């Protein structure tokens, strides 16, 4: 099987309490650490990569983001699939977006439904149409994770997230990511959404991550949490050198 086939297979048939845990490398060195630790796939965080490049989240020029993803993919030499957080697609036409993603060697991507330009939620039907274009261009070559930003934009009603998620799944998304969803609404999201659900978490024990799986998470990512934790550890080391 190809790496994208491997990646899709990792999302299928997972038992409750056994989520796919995807660490988020922010550079080549961290990617190698996670692969050496035995994780079967990786998912880059845009905020973590931004920090490694000296930018605030959302301010990385697309050329630099794609180059960073390519270095991460190259560093693991095809050992595991890599999915890339490419924010809201940088305003690129679907064909160019898919071409540039595949040039990095990544087999999946995370696409947000709020705008990098003004932070506003996009119209869900227009977003679904755009995702359908991305899917049409990519075919089966890209695992598409559609982020649902309602919770982080102050819309607390799980029903609104479910409505968007259903549109995105119908448009061809392989997985949906209701970022910022409170833990207590995960069973409702699980009941209302067909297909894999990505849940965000902070660095946590395996038992805590399994609990998220039992509540409805198919896979778990960490955003910039691991990069932040590593930076804190380095700060402590630096303080001890004085």
């Amino acid at each position: 099987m190809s790496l994208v086939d491997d990646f899709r297979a990792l999302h299928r048939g997972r038992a409750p309490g056994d989520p796919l845990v995807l660490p988020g490398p922010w550079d080549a060195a961290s990617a190698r650490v996670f692969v050496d630790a035995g994780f079967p796939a990786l998912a880059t965080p845009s905020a973590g990569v931004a920090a490694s490049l000296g930018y605030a989240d959302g301010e990385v020029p697309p050329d630099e983001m794609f180059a960073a993803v390519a270095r991460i993919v190259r560093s693991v030499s095809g050992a595991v699939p890599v999915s890339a957080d490419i924010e809201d697609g940088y305003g690129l036409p679907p064909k160019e977006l898919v071409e540039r993603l595949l040039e990095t060697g990544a087999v999946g991507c995370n696409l947000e439904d709020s705008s990098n330009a003004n932070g506003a939620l996009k119209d869900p039907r227009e977003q679904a149409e755009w995702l359908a274009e991305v899917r049409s261009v990519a075919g089966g070559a890209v695992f598409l994770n559609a982020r649902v930003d309602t919770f982080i934009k102050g819309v607390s009603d799980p029903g609104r997230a479910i409505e968007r998620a259903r549109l995105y799944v119908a448009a061809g998304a392989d997985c949906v990511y209701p970022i910022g969803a409170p833990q207590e609404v995960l069973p409702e999201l699980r009941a209302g959404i067909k297909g894999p659900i990505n849940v965000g978490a902070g660095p946590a024990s395996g038992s805590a991550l399994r609990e998220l799986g039992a509540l409805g998470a198919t896979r778990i990512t960490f955003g910039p949490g691991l990069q932040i934790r590593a930076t804190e550890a380095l700060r402590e080391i630096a303080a001890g050198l004085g």
Side-chain angles (χ1 to χ4, degrees):
M1 291 197 300
S2 67
L3 283 174
V4 68
D5 290 334
D6 290 344
F7 195 51
R8 283 200 173 89
L10 287 169
H11 292 77
R12 295 179 182 141
R14 304 201 72 90
D18 179 33
L20 173 62
V21 178
L22 296 175
W26 53 94
D27 60 11
S30 59
R32 288 192 295 269
V33 167
F34 295 135
V35 170
D36 289 345
F39 289 96
L42 306 175
T44 71
S46 64
V49 173
S52 76
L53 297 174
Y55 291 97
D57 187 24
E59 295 185 0
V60 181
D63 287 353
E64 293 196 45
M65 182 61 77
F66 286 118
V69 171
R71 288 192 293 272
I72 288 169
V73 174
R74 185 173 64 248
S75 75
V76 300
S77 303
V80 300
V82 177
S83 183
D85 184 346
I86 49 175
E87 305 182 72
D88 70 345
Y90 308 112
L92 297 172
K95 185 174 186 297
E96 182 179 354
L97 182 67
V98 170
E99 288 174 348
R100 297 194 69 176
L101 176 70
L102 292 176
E103 284 172 358
T104 69
V107 300
C109 68
N110 188 69
L111 290 168
E112 304 166 1
D113 70 348
S114 58
S115 171
N116 261 16
N118 58 24
L121 283 167
K122 297 180 179 181
D123 178 272
R125 295 193 179 277
E126 291 179 1
Q127 178 71 357
E129 290 175 2
W130 181 73
L131 290 172
E133 290 183 50
V134 174
R135 167 57 67 215
S136 177
V137 171
V142 174
F143 184 99
L144 183 56
N145 186 37
R147 208 176 84 174
V148 179
D149 289 359
T150 51
F151 291 105
I152 63 170
K153 297 300 179 181
V155 181
S156 60
D157 178 7
R160 297 284 295 280
I162 291 170
E163 289 171 5
R164 285 176 174 258
R166 287 175 172 171
L167 286 170
Y168 302 162
V169 170
D174 295 285
C175 182
V176 293
Y177 179 14
I179 187 173
Q183 187 168 315
E184 60 268 20
V185 307
L186 293 182
E188 183 176 351
L189 296 177
R190 177 66 283 165
I193 297 171
K194 182 180 179 180
I197 297 176
N198 188 142
V199 171
S205 66
S207 60
L209 299 180
R210 288 191 291 273
E211 181 179 350
L212 290 176
L215 290 172
T218 309
R219 77 182 211 179
I220 296 173
T221 55
F222 302 92
L226 302 178
Q227 182 268 331
I228 291 171
R229 177 69 67 85
T231 300
E232 290 171 349
L234 188 59
R235 187 173 291 115
E236 292 178 6
I237 293 171
L241 299 176

